[in-house]
Structures are given as C-alpha cells and as structure tokens.
Amino acid sequence: MSDPITAEELKALQAPLKSKYREDAKAGVVTFRAEGRLDEGISCKVDTGRALVDAGLHPAAGGLGDQACSGDMLLEALAACTGVTLRAVATAIGFDLRGGRVLVEGDLDFRGTLGVEREAPVGFQAIRLTFDLETDEPQERIDQLLKLTERFCVVLQTIQQPPRIESKQVVAEAAVS
C-alpha cells in the first residue's frame, strides 16, 4: 500500500497537467483500449493491464459462476472509480476522511438478457451508490464531497450520460495451413 498523498502533493502533480490541457485541449484527450479474446466456450478473456480476467455468463444466464460476469465488472468499475475519485476529492479539499466504503448495487432482469420477455429491458434498470464514510466532518462538507465525487467520477458520468458508441466489424482472414 502506498503512503497517503497530501493535498499539496496532489495539486503539484496535477498542476502541470491542468496547465497543459488548458493550453492544448487535444493533449487532454486520451484513447483507452480494451481487448477481449474470444477463445473457447462461452467466454471472453480481457487483459486489464494488471491481470487477465476470464469473463463469462452469470449463473442466472446459464454460467457456472466461476468466471467474472460483465455486470459484476461494471459495478466493480463504478465502485473503484467512485472510491478513487472520492479519495482524490477529499485530499484536494482537505476533507478529514479516516476510511469508509462505497457500496454499489444494481438490478438486472435476466428475462430481457435471455430474450424470455420481449418487453423486459436488457441491462441494469437501477443502480444504487451508498457511501459509508468514517468522518467527523459536518453534513454540508459531506454533501460537498459527494457532489464533487459524482461530478468527477468518469465511470458514473459515462453511465449517467452515455457516449455515442460506434460498432464495426473487421473480418479476419483464416490462417492457411
């Protein structure tokens, strides 16, 4: 575990980046990539850059439960991003946060996913974020922390304001023996 960073250290790290992005808007745009390998079975291997995740069907869709479910991964990404953002914001505003938890729950109707009920939606119908914070800060400071966290959390903002997604097919040629 790394040592805690101070507000001054965080501002010093971010100041040249903010300056660069103000001067050149294009410098602030970074393209992230993710790749899933379609090998065997009903699964997809995704390299996170830190570990290889084997994603498969949730037990409610016929999976065995021994692979990561994409719905779980989405909620885990939201919990991670919200937690990191909350810590960064708390540091930046000098908020006394001793610890806590970010809890994420989501409701998904598998009738839609499995095509059982045409009217049942595919995807999460509701996602709940709960912050359980260890702090003695007054409520108005807690409200400020949560408001800023929600504003700057990349995953939360992406879910709340979905981007345009383009889909295309690239046909790979089969290897010739």
Side-chain angles (χ1 to χ4, degrees):
M1 191 165 159
S2 59
D3 291 330
I5 189 169
T6 66
E8 293 75 27
E9 291 170 329
L10 180 61
K11 288 175 184 174
L13 287 170
Q14 292 180 343
L17 296 171
K18 289 180 178 183
S19 177
K20 179 180 177 180
Y21 302 157
R22 282 187 191 100
E23 292 173 20
D24 179 10
K26 290 182 181 180
V29 178
V30 177
T31 300
F32 287 71
R33 301 193 81 194
E35 179 179 331
R37 301 209 38 94
L38 306 174
D39 294 332
E40 297 178 17
I42 302 176
S43 69
C44 179
K45 289 183 176 45
V46 179
D47 187 350
T48 67
R50 307 289 183 280
L52 187 66
V53 175
D54 191 16
L57 293 174
H58 187 277
L64 299 175
D66 59 346
Q67 295 169 313
C69 162
S70 55
D72 290 330
M73 292 169 64
L74 176 67
L75 298 185
E76 290 161 358
L78 179 56
C81 186
T82 306
V84 169
T85 304
L86 185 133
R87 276 294 194 182
V89 170
T91 300
I93 67 172
F95 187 98
D96 179 28
L97 181 64
R98 293 184 305 278
R101 300 182 304 155
V102 176
L103 308 169
V104 182
E105 295 178 315
D107 303 321
L108 194 146
D109 186 344
F110 278 92
R111 295 175 308 148
T113 301
L114 294 176
V116 171
E117 173 59 49
R118 189 171 193 74
E119 300 304 315
V122 176
F124 286 98
Q125 283 80 65
I127 296 176
R128 293 171 297 284
L129 271 171
T130 303
F131 299 93
D132 178 14
L133 307 179
E134 295 173 20
T135 185
D136 293 324
E137 292 277 0
Q139 189 61 50
E140 59 270 7
R141 290 270 290 158
I142 295 170
D143 293 344
Q144 176 192 27
L145 174 67
L146 298 182
K147 181 179 177 182
L148 291 171
T149 296
E150 290 178 4
R151 177 178 174 199
F152 294 118
C153 176
V154 171
V155 175
L156 178 60
Q157 288 301 316
T158 301
I159 292 169
Q160 288 181 332
Q161 301 172 32
R164 177 179 35 91
I165 297 176
E166 298 174 20
S167 177
K168 64 181 178 180
Q169 177 186 356
V170 177
V171 180
E173 294 183 27
V176 180
S177 327

